[in-house]
Amino acid sequence: MSNRLPGLVALFVALAPAIVGAAAPAGATLSAAQNAVLQADGPRALALLGALHPASAAEARQRVCMAARLQDRPSFPAARTTGHPFPDAVLRAYRRYWRDALDPAHRAAAETALFADLRRLTGQPAQATRDALQDAVSARLAALGLHSRLGRTAELYDLMLYFREDERRYPVLLPDGQRESVRVFLMRDMVSGGWARHLNCGGPGTGGFATDEGLYAVADAYDLDDEAFRINFLAHESQHYADYKRLPGLQGPELEYRAKLVELALAEQTLAKTLRAFVANQGDERANPHAWANRRVLAALAQRLKLAQPERLVDAAADEVRAAARAALVQDNAERGLAPAGP
C-alpha cells in the first residue's frame, strides 16, 4: 500500500510584533483566521489574530497558540512528538516548512529547504527526486513502526504521522444512485494531522482523504456514529473514490465541487453547519480547491433557487437545498458523459 497522499509556553505570552503591528482587517474573528490558514495565507491569518478580541478564555488560548505556531515558536499545547530522533527530526523539518510556506512570498524557498532537510535525514543522493525523498522518509518511519502519508494537501506538502491504523468497510449510496463499497482506514493516535490542523492548533484541517485504495480518516476527528462522519467524510470522500475510477484525470477543484454537492444533497442535521462553513471559506484560486469549490457550489445552488446572494442559502428550505445539490450533481455527470446509475 502506498504511503503517498493523492494529490505557548505561557498562556498569556505577548503576541509577536509582527501581528500586533499589522493593519487590523475587517471581520477579525477566530474562524476568519482559521480560514486564512486553510487558504494558506499566513500573513492574513496573523493579521486577523492580532486584531482579534477574544470572546472567551478558550478563544484567547487558541489565538495565542495559533500565533505561536504560525511563527514556529513554542506553543501551548505543545505540538506532539514521538520521542524518537528520526521521526521527530522529520516533524521539525515539516513544521518549519509549514510556518515559512504559509507566506506565499517564501513558499518556493521553503520547499527547497524542506527537501534539503529530507535528503540530509535520509542520506539520499543529490539527484533524488522529491517523490523518492518522500518514499525514503515513509520507509524509515515504517521501519520504526509508524504509519505515514506524505504528499500535497492543497498548496503545501503534508505529513500525516500516526501510530495505529484500523480498517473497516462501508457501503455508500451516493445521491446520483452510484453505489460504492469502500475500505476506510482509521488513523489513530495521531502525531501529525497535517499542516492545517497543526497551524490551527487542532482546529479546522484535514479530517481525511481518498486514494484509489480507499478512504483514510482521522479517527479522533469524528464520532463514527454521527452524520458528520457519514456525510461530511464518508459520502464526500466516497464521491472522490468513485470519480477516481469513472473520471480519471479530473482535477482537484472539480473533484471538490462534486463532493461538496454530495454533502449538501445528503445532509440533514449538518446541513446548516455545512453551508455556513462553505460561506466562510470561499476563494477564486484553483490552488486552494476547497475554497474554490465552495464558491462554485454556493453560486450554482443560488442560481437554481433564484437567490440574489449565495449567502442566503443558509435561510433556504432544507429540502430545496438538497434537491438543488442533487440536480447540480446529475447535471455535472451528464456534462462529463457519465451515464445515469442503474436502479
Side-chain angles (χ1 to χ4, degrees):
M1 181 178 296
S2 170
N3 288 322
R4 302 290 305 288
L5 289 171
L8 304 123
V9 178
L11 176 59
F12 297 106
V13 66
L15 295 174
I19 57 176
V20 172
T29 64
L30 180 61
S31 63
Q34 291 170 331
N35 283 323
V37 168
L38 294 177
Q39 295 178 19
D41 189 344
R44 176 165 176 77
L46 283 168
L48 286 163
L49 291 169
L52 174 65
H53 297 287
S56 66
E59 195 166 272
R61 290 192 293 270
Q62 191 78 0
R63 172 185 184 242
V64 174
C65 179
M66 287 178 61
R69 291 191 183 181
L70 284 162
Q71 298 168 95
D72 198 27
R73 298 170 57 193
S75 66
F76 180 82
R80 190 176 179 189
T81 59
T82 68
H84 190 284
F86 178 76
D88 288 350
V90 170
L91 286 166
R92 287 192 296 272
Y94 270 91
R95 288 165 180 167
R96 283 194 301 270
Y97 157 70
W98 294 336
R99 182 273 316 270
D100 293 340
L102 225 65
D103 185 340
H106 299 149
R107 190 161 296 155
E111 288 183 4
T112 299
L114 170 66
F115 285 99
D117 284 340
L118 299 186
R119 182 175 291 107
R120 174 180 54 81
L121 289 169
T122 58
Q124 295 295 298
Q127 65 271 25
T129 65
R130 290 184 174 185
D131 284 351
L133 289 169
Q134 291 173 97
D135 289 343
V137 170
S138 289
R140 287 279 301 274
L141 293 171
L144 294 170
L146 289 161
H147 299 272
S148 65
R149 305 288 297 185
L150 288 79
R152 273 191 181 273
T153 301
E155 297 179 77
L156 273 62
Y157 284 96
D158 219 343
L159 170 66
M160 310 290 283
L161 183 64
Y162 51 106
F163 283 103
R164 295 189 295 117
E165 183 176 282
D166 300 331
E167 181 180 343
R168 298 184 186 179
R169 187 170 288 275
Y170 290 87
V172 179
L173 175 62
L174 296 170
D176 63 355
Q178 180 77 8
R179 295 180 181 274
E180 296 290 341
S181 177
V182 294
R183 299 165 70 196
V184 176
F185 303 95
L186 298 170
M187 302 181 288
R188 298 186 183 277
D189 202 0
M190 302 294 296
V191 181
S192 172
W195 63 266
R197 198 169 293 279
H198 169 73
L199 294 171
N200 273 329
C201 290
T206 300
F209 48 88
T211 73
D212 55 8
E213 301 159 335
L215 315 184
Y216 286 78
V218 179
D220 292 345
Y222 298 102
D223 175 345
L224 301 183
D225 295 318
D226 74 3
E227 183 174 290
F229 176 74
R230 290 186 291 103
I231 306 302
N232 301 109
F233 171 75
L234 189 58
H236 177 115
E237 299 298 341
S238 292
Q239 184 65 47
H240 289 335
Y241 180 74
D243 285 345
Y244 291 159
K245 295 182 293 182
R246 296 189 295 167
L247 296 168
L250 192 64
Q251 297 298 301
E254 287 74 28
L255 286 165
E256 290 302 332
Y257 172 77
R258 291 167 56 78
K260 288 171 183 290
L261 287 174
V262 167
E263 290 186 63
L264 297 182
L266 296 176
E268 295 181 358
Q269 299 98 318
T270 58
L271 180 61
K273 181 178 180 180
T274 301
L275 282 169
R276 287 194 296 269
F278 289 2
V279 168
N281 183 26
Q282 301 181 60
D284 289 318
E285 297 295 329
R286 287 179 59 84
N288 193 316
H290 284 275
W292 185 95
N294 288 346
R295 178 158 293 176
R296 273 66 193 174
V297 165
L298 295 171
L301 299 196
Q303 182 178 27
R304 283 182 175 274
L305 297 179
K306 297 181 171 55
L307 299 176
Q309 297 177 326
E311 290 74 14
R312 297 293 301 275
L313 282 164
V314 297
D315 301 316
D319 286 346
E320 293 181 359
V321 173
R322 286 191 285 268
R326 182 186 181 281
L329 178 64
V330 170
Q331 178 183 337
D332 197 73
N333 283 352
E335 291 173 352
R336 298 185 189 283
L338 291 178

